[in-house]
């Protein structure tokens, strides 16, 4: 069994990123300061070597070829100094002059001096500058800058953590508001008046979600009441018929009538339960089982012929126009069409024709049933596909349990489609759009 993923703190993550950013920024500044200080010291050391080199060349030219005078002047220049050493080598590599101490950290400059003696054509001069104090200064600067960066990062991070915690306080307020919501308080929503601008979209989206949940909750309550009502009516009739039969002696014909009445109510219960199970499967996301249908016209004509025979006494006429082919669930389409035609026959004007139209669209097919009757209001068109909804309260309407058009909507959804409902100038057009199958076979 896999455990839940580790929880992490938004405030902690923001604080860590803030601390890391601060440290990187301070480290970059400290590095720049160090590099600038090092470059300044290197320039100063190079300038100092240049001065010594120019001074030696001047002393060599001033002394002419008098070696002793040249050495005397060199002693005056460098002897007794601890920051510089001077070494003169003959052309064959012999040491002619050396003064000064050696150091681990030195900066050397080698160059040639000519005509410094009567028999000396030239000498190799090497000046060594002791840079240990400068290096010690740089090492000390590294320590100071590192400690400054660490202390600065710690201080700024502490302040940043406090600011982040304060900035996230409204999120905690939203959490407290959410914890106080109950099923009976979904209409209250969340108060975003005191929330920052960044949280306003979240509050608005959450309140819209609460409204959808409220609508679904009310629909569920209404659905439960409708189911209880639809199941109670046939059960009550069956119980009443059974009690009447048990109260006295009855003929065989009376027993037969009672059993037939109970059987009719049982069939009604079975139909309601079957329709509810089908809708439950559709709600779980069951998709249509698509097969190749060569002609939707022929499928619709089969449904039309069945209903013409069922309403033979009324001499109703049902026309089918248009055609299309594709991958569809034929049995589901027959069921949806049957419900639509049954609904049209029930509510249209007597002896008026009914038309089943098939229209090819860019991404699918429209299948609609058109009939003549009263123009339906927008409220009826909006709610007619809801479960147990009835636009009429007459006795004939109450013989049907109000799930027919809900099943049509479910079948359309199983084909990745939608319902269609329009009513103008006494012409009502109800149907559905079914989307063509995708190349990968998914509905």
């Amino acid at each position: 069994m896999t455990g839940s993923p580790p929880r992490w703190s938004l405030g902690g993550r923001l604080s860590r990123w803030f601390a890391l950013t601060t440290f990187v920024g301070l480290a970059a500044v400290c590095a720049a300061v160090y590099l600038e200080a090092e470059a300044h010291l290197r320039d100063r050391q190079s300038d100092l070597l240049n001065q010594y080199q120019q001074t030696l060349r001047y002393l060599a030219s001033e002394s002419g070829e008098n070696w002793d005078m040249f050495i005397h002047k060199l002693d005056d220049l460098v002897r007794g100094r601890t920051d510089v050493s001077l070494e003169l080598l003959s052309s064959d590599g012999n040491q002619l002059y050396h003064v000064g101490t050696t150091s681990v950290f030195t900066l050397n400059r080698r160059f040639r001096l000519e005509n410094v003696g009567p028999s000396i054509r030239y000498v190799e001069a090497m000046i060594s500058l002791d840079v240990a104090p400068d290096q010690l200064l740089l090492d000390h600067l590294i320590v100071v800058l590192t400690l400054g960066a660490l202390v600065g990062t710690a201080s700024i991070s502490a302040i940043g953590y406090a600011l982040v915690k304060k900035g996230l306080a409204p999120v905690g307020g939203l959490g407290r508001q959410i914890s106080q919501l109950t099923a009976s308080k979904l209409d209250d929503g969340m108060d975003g008046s005191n929330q920052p601008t960044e949280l306003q979209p979240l509050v608005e989206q959450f309140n819209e979600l609460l409204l959808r949940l409220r609508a679904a909750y009310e629909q569920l309550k209404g659905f439960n009441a409708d189911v209880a009502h639809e199941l109670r009516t046939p059960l009550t009739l069956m119980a009443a018929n059974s009690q009447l039969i048990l109260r006295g002696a009855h003929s065989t014909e009376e027993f037969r009538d009672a059993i037939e009445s109970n059987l009719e109510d049982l069939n009604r219960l079975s139909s309601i339960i079957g329709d509810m199970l089908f809708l439950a499967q559709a709600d779980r996301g069951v998709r249509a089982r698509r097969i190749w249908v060569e002609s939707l016209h022929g499928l619709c004509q089969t449904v039309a012929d069945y209903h013409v025979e069922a309403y033979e006494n009324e001499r109703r006429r049902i026309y089918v126009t248009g055609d299309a082919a594709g991958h569809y669930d034929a049995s589901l389409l027959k069921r949806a069409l049957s419900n639509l035609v049954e609904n049209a026959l029930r509510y249209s004007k007597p002896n008026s024709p009914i038309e089943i139209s098939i229209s090819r669209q860019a991404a699918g097919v429209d299948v609609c049933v058109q009939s003549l009757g009263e123009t339906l209001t927008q409220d009826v068109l909006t709610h007619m596909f809801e479960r147990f909804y009835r636009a009429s309260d007459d006795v004939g309407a109450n013989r049907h349990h109000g799930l027919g058009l809900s099943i049509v909507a479910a079948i359309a959804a199983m084909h990745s489609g939608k319902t269609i409902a329009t009513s103008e100038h006494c012409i009502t057009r109800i149907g559905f759009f079914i989307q063509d199958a995708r190349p990968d076979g998914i509905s």
Side-chain angles (χ1 to χ4, degrees), residues 400-413:
H400 304 274
H401 49 263
L403 292 177
L405 293 183
S406 299
I407 292 175
V408 172
I411 293 174

Side-chain angles (χ1 to χ4, degrees), residues 102-331:
T102 59
S103 174
V104 177
F105 300 100
T106 59
L107 184 63
N108 302 319
R109 174 74 61 83
R110 183 183 291 270
F111 56 95
R112 179 178 293 185
L113 294 175
E114 298 179 351
N115 301 322
V116 294
S119 60
I120 302 175
R121 183 179 177 184
Y122 68 88
V123 296
E124 291 286 341
M126 185 176 70
I127 302 176
S128 298
L129 185 65
D130 184 8
V131 295
D134 292 342
Q135 188 62 44
L136 182 62
L137 176 62
L138 290 176
D139 293 342
H140 182 70
L141 182 62
I142 289 177
V143 174
V144 172
L145 291 177
T146 302
L147 290 177
L150 294 176
V151 173
T153 300
S155 302
I156 297 176
S157 298
I159 297 174
Y161 178 78
L163 294 177
V164 167
K165 188 174 181 180
K166 183 178 180 180
L168 292 177
V171 178
L174 293 180
R176 287 188 292 272
Q177 290 189 49
I178 294 175
S179 65
Q180 297 174 359
L181 292 175
T182 61
S184 60
K185 295 182 179 180
L186 293 179
D187 291 335
D188 296 343
M190 294 172 54
D191 182 14
S193 58
N194 295 326
Q195 299 299 331
T197 305
E198 291 78 7
L199 292 180
Q200 290 295 334
L202 175 62
V203 174
E204 294 173 359
Q205 293 295 328
F206 188 81
N207 287 335
E208 292 180 4
L209 174 62
L210 289 180
L211 292 178
R212 293 194 294 269
L213 287 176
R214 178 65 178 176
Y217 180 69
E218 293 295 334
Q219 184 178 5
L220 180 61
K221 289 198 301 183
F223 178 76
N224 292 335
D226 292 335
V227 168
H229 174 75
E230 293 294 336
L231 296 180
R232 182 182 64 181
T233 301
L235 288 174
T236 301
L237 292 176
M238 291 171 59
N241 288 336
S242 300
Q243 290 174 359
L244 288 175
I245 292 298
L246 293 175
R247 282 183 181 178
H250 298 277
S251 64
T252 303
E253 190 65 28
E254 290 175 333
F255 275 107
R256 180 182 295 275
D257 292 340
I259 293 174
E260 289 178 352
S261 177
N262 287 347
L263 182 60
E264 181 181 353
D265 291 330
L266 286 173
N267 288 334
R268 182 182 179 188
L269 285 175
S270 177
S271 176
I272 294 175
I273 294 173
D275 289 344
M276 290 173 59
L277 289 176
F278 177 81
L279 292 173
Q281 291 178 344
D283 289 340
R284 288 199 302 269
V286 176
R287 312 305 298 174
R289 298 180 180 178
R290 295 177 180 256
I291 61 174
W292 177 255
V293 178
E294 186 67 30
S295 174
L296 283 180
H297 186 282
L299 185 146
C300 295
Q301 190 63 56
T302 301
V303 176
D305 293 342
Y306 170 79
H307 285 280
V308 167
E309 293 178 2
Y311 286 80
E312 184 177 3
N313 295 333
E314 299 184 15
R315 298 181 179 179
R316 303 302 294 268
R317 292 174 298 171
I318 303 177
Y319 301 97
V320 180
T321 60
D323 197 2
H327 290 86
Y328 311 108
D329 193 322
S331 61

